[in-house]
Amino acid sequence: ARGPAPLLALTVALRTLNCFLVRTSFVPDEYWQSLEVAHRMNINNYGYLTWEWAHGLRGYSYPLIFASIYKALQLLAKDDVQLLIWVPRLAQAVLAAFADVKLYSLVQHLENAETAKCVYFCQLCSWFTWYSCTRTLTNTMETLLTIFALSYYPIKGSKMGSSCKYLALIALAIIIRPTAVIPWIPLVFSHFLQEQKKADFILHNCIPVALVTVGTSLIIDRVFFGEWVLVQLNFLKFNVLQNLGTFYGSHPWHWYFTQGLPVILGTHLPFFIHGCVLAPKRYRIFLVAVIWTVLIYSTLSHKEFRFIYPVLPFCMVFCGYSLKHLKAWKKPTASFLLLSNLIPALYTGLIHQRGSLDVMSHIQQLCKNSYQLQAFVFIMMPCHSTPFYSHVHCPLKMRFLECPPDLTGKESYIDEADAFYSNPLVWLNKEFYNDTLLPSHLIFFSVLEQEISPFLALRRYEKMATVFHTHVPEGRVGSHIYVYRKKTEMNY
């Protein structure tokens, strides 16, 4: 495709296809910190807010985007549950397409069309980008805004640079996810050192942008929290100063170097290294940003692949540079990259961990009949394993095992999910000591079935559905999800 318009149309089509070929769950935040919050903000005030919202660790700026989409669908009388699920993801897909084209335009401007095509190709065939770029994660928006900001960053040789624009985009990313500041610390510092009029840069660019974005964020959060809350400060205190993220697991310091970055880069890794050696000096600041970000995240105990997703576009610049310089080997290498990324992209997008979403269709069915008022769904899975009201869209009675961290410092603290899994049978008999308290439907992973079978038999539950989840069950997560319903005289 020649020119920005045909390229954009092609990229939008590819990312739309990408969106529909990702039908698996990644991490709970994809729903619980965006769509679930938006559903509560907009539709009859039903939706679940996790403990982070009670403690002001999350801001409403990002969910507000989806709440606006929900409101538009509601006004058009098109707020069908499937549209509520897919329209936000399609919006992310379109934004991802714009970001891909921005990356292409940046490299074309700095180098030439051939290098730009190579970077664009590497970006499109990255399995992790395919897996993540259409998801409603704050990390996804953080990454897209990073690409947009990068396109206005005044790197040496760039005539597209705009201090105000790139700083505004960084500020927006920080409002959505405070960690977005990390990759930009070396980049902004480098720009500051190069600036002739340093005082003007701070007074006319940095301060006005900071005041406008922080002010807007404060007002949005004031409206929805009902009080003044600086979520960025709370986020920093919780994750860095108190390091309470370890509640959700900890990893060795080297994890991002030995697993995190190699996994998200996949077969791009050797070309990234090759590109780092070949690339001109002016691109070293991108490499510094990658290394700096990985080092900073390595100091925190709780580590996840998605945390370093925002540095992937920087890596793709080096990968594209490597591919362009392979000359005679370029076509075979491109074929290798495409095929080696296609398999993990399709497997993780269509098969691995799909049960969490597929099982929601069984819950949705309960909204379509008169039994809705009597139904009570209990999701007995590791907490936040499935989406919630944003994927059901009816005021069904639902419950799941909760797992908020202890913020009081008690050593003996145990959350509801851990208490349940320590002895599921005892917990169930104690919790539902009376038949009138029993849920109409139980949803749980296959690994739990044998242990709670006496409870299921005694309380007259029958299996009504088996849903595939993963080929690699681990711990509390089984290969399948079972849906049980309580036998009654009614036929529903």
Side-chain angles (χ1 to χ4, degrees), residues 31-32 34-50 53 60 70 387-396 398 400:
Y31 319 106
W32 290 86
S34 55
L35 301 183
E36 191 62 25
V37 182
H39 197 276
R40 184 180 172 88
M41 287 164 74
N42 186 63
I43 299 169
N44 301 332
N45 208 33
Y46 69 92
Y48 187 93
L49 294 183
T50 58
W53 297 88
Y60 281 95
Y70 286 171
F388 216 48
Y389 285 109
S390 63
H391 282 54
V392 176
H393 191 48
C394 78
L396 200 65
M398 295 199 293
F400 65 96

Side-chain angles (χ1 to χ4, degrees), residues 147-199:
I147 297 174
F148 291 130
L150 198 59
S151 68
Y152 295 110
Y153 180 74
I155 190 170
K156 193 177 178 183
S158 170
K159 291 173 185 173
M160 293 161 61
S162 167
S163 298
C164 203
K165 284 180 183 175
Y166 97 82
L167 287 170
L169 287 160
I170 296 167
L172 186 57
I174 293 166
I175 294 304
I176 287 169
R177 190 170 177 85
T179 52
V181 72
I182 296 169
W184 285 99
I185 290 172
L187 287 156
V188 174
F189 184 66
S190 172
H191 176 205
F192 176 74
L193 292 178
Q194 289 168 24
E195 275 288 334
Q196 299 295 320
K197 299 176 180 177
K198 291 180 171 55

Side-chain angles (χ1 to χ4, degrees), residues 333-403:
T333 301
S335 301
F336 164 73
L337 278 173
L338 183 61
L339 288 170
S340 61
N341 279 274
L342 190 63
I343 294 164
L346 291 176
Y347 180 78
T348 56
L350 291 171
I351 299 169
H352 179 60
Q353 294 184 174
R354 68 170 293 148
S356 296
L357 298 182
D358 288 348
V359 79
M360 298 311 290
S361 62
H362 293 279
I363 301 176
Q364 289 160 17
Q365 293 303 315
L366 297 174
C367 297
K368 293 180 180 178
N369 56 39
S370 57
Y371 185 69
Q372 182 196 131
L373 294 173
Q374 288 80 40
F376 170 21
V377 178
F378 185 25
I379 301 167
M380 300 190 301
M381 298 158 80
C383 70
H384 308 129
S385 289
T386 66
F388 216 48
Y389 285 109
S390 63
H391 282 54
V392 176
H393 191 48
C394 78
L396 200 65
K397 186 180 178 183
M398 295 199 293
R399 179 184 170 185
F400 65 96
L401 295 167
E402 297 192 34
C403 59

